[in-house]
Amino acid sequence: MSPVFPTVREVLDLVPMRHGAPRLVAGNAGLDRPVRWVHIAEVPDIATLLGGGELVLTTGIGLPADDAGLREFIGTLADVGASGLVVELGRRYLTGVPRVMAAAAERRGLPLVELRRGTPFVRITEAVHGLIVDAQLTELRATEEIHQRFTDLSVEGAEPAEVLRQAAELAGCPMVLENLSRQVLAYDPAGENAELLLDGWEQHSRQIRPAGRTAYDPGSGWLVTTVGARGQDWGRLLLRWPVAESTPPTRLTILIERAASTLALGRLIRRDAEGLERQIHRTLLTALIDHSRPVDEVALRAKALGVVLDRRHLVGVVVRHRGDEPAAGPGADADPEAGPARLRDLAEAVGQAVRDAKLTALTSAVDDHAVGALLALPDAADEEKALAAFATALRRVRLDAAPSRPLATRTVVAAGSGVGSLREARRSLVEARQIAEAARRDPRDLPCYRLPHVGLAGLLHLLRDEPRLQTFVERELGALLAYDAQHPREQLLGTLRAYLEQGRNKSAGAAAAHLSRPAFYERLARIGRILDADLDSVDRCLSLHVALLALDAIRTP
């Protein structure tokens, strides 16, 4: 972005200035100084009338005649911060400015320009001032766009990644959002190399120490503002300004502050839902499962968040409540917020368990019922030990959270097969989710379920999307499901389930179904007629039991 004021170099390129055949005599290092105004002067004590940033035009007729006076004149201009000095030849100086003046200007880095051809100064001042006014109007329009853009983002409740994307687009500069621990929450490289931008970020960030809530750190080249609201700061937003010799223009300060306020407002709106770090975890886990982002990008973003996934042994873990767990309390089923609240509590418990077990992982909800974690272990040999530590820590956290409600702690912890690269992580996560679903009604209370623990039910969950399995279920149970749909008060499928789960023991089945034995026997006879099946046949009952387990797998949300 161009600053509001033109530079000395840009002024020298204007048509009225070129008409005067300008020649730079000294002060090449100061050509990129901004020109705030143009001032015409013919007196030696002009510095007392300047405020800094002026380009002084003179014919030299009022300048001192002695060398000491010329040195002092140049010194006072440099001290007050003048942008440069332009001397028209022909009146006081015929062939060139005095050498002593040029030497003094070179020492102070003050651009000294000769105009070798006469030109009306008013045309120069008009051109420069017009350039300044146009730049200020451009700056004003840009500021209006910034306010409108971030107002729209605030109203839409945009995610941090989108806020940074649009901010970087407006600024044309890389931007980074970090928390108070210097972990990167979101970033946009603005077309630059993201890996280089984030390499060693925490160490680099701790060296960026601006003097103020919003300030530019010239040593590092970052414009920084604090992010927070209601007196609670939770991060910093940083913008890298590529021009080391100048401070960022005012509109970038406005931009970064508006972006920070949009982020703070978004966090306030979402504060009851989940923390910002958890949102980033969820985005990355979802990206792995859905293939919505390249794995290299996921690895880079996770590393910036403090979770290293490269060259690690990765294990997908899924935690969910038991299938027979009652609702959280009276009226919970009627409360639309009860389910999300339980899921948030479980997600917090999983995150705490990861920390207590001293593990590194991405953790977040992976659907409406389960929380996932991708454990990143240094060595494959640590897998079983790490899973045991996590399961123990989770049980302790859940018990501590609900000591008077032990049922609230009943969860299933399932782990997929460990993998050696991030590209295979999806397989481990999906396998863990399928195992967790299969183990929901398992009567055992294992610390961590793996694929061998769920046996046939686990296999059916892996195959639940297979059309041939669905066809098998319809062939075996379709008639009974149709009957139950027409007679909802009878629900014979439950009777069949009780009979098969009790090993075809009719007395035990009647007790499990809470029916008298004559009623239970009569129902079994009706089921046999509907299905045209001999319920005393071991093979036929085995086929029906497999169909029931497959139906459970297909119906599992």
Side-chain angles (χ1 to χ4, degrees), residues 176-365:
V176 176
L177 173 65
E178 64 178 16
N179 62 17
L180 297 180
S181 298
R182 305 299 196 269
Q183 293 177 325
V184 176
L185 302 176
Y187 69 94
D188 191 293
E192 297 187 15
N193 187 299
E195 191 168 356
L196 291 178
L197 176 69
L198 301 178
D199 185 41
W201 175 260
E202 180 179 343
Q203 181 179 0
H204 176 61
S205 173
R206 295 187 184 280
Q207 298 172 8
I208 304 173
R209 298 178 180 178
R213 189 170 179 86
T214 300
Y216 177 62
D217 179 21
S220 63
W222 287 89
L223 177 63
V224 185
T225 190
T226 303
V227 185
R230 297 181 179 177
Q232 296 183 346
D233 297 334
W234 51 265
R236 297 197 307 175
L237 183 60
L238 303 94
L239 180 152
R240 191 173 70 190
W241 176 242
V243 186
E245 295 80 12
S246 65
T247 58
T250 304
R251 60 182 161 186
L252 287 189
T253 300
I254 295 172
L255 182 147
I256 197 172
E257 289 183 338
R258 280 306 313 270
S261 64
T262 300
L263 291 165
L265 178 60
R267 173 137 174 164
L268 285 176
I269 293 172
R270 294 186 294 268
R271 69 186 185 278
D272 292 331
E274 56 184 339
L276 185 54
E277 293 87 347
R278 192 62 53 221
Q279 293 178 45
I280 308 300
H281 279 235
R282 181 185 43 149
T283 299
L284 297 180
L285 271 184
T286 302
L288 287 174
I289 294 173
D290 298 342
H291 289 309
S292 57
R293 293 176 186 267
V295 292
D296 292 342
E297 180 182 343
V298 172
L300 182 60
R301 288 180 178 269
K303 182 180 179 181
L305 200 59
V307 181
V308 178
L309 300 177
D310 285 330
R311 293 187 292 277
R312 294 291 188 275
H313 183 73
L314 305 174
V315 183
V317 177
V318 169
V319 181
R320 64 176 303 150
H321 293 284
R322 285 279 182 179
D324 57 351
E325 182 179 335
D333 289 336
D335 182 3
E337 295 298 322
R342 285 177 71 214
L343 188 63
R344 286 198 299 272
D345 290 345
L346 184 58
E348 288 299 322
V350 169
Q352 185 61 50
V354 167
R355 291 189 290 273
D356 290 352
K358 295 180 173 53
L359 298 172
T360 298
L362 291 176
T363 65
S364 82

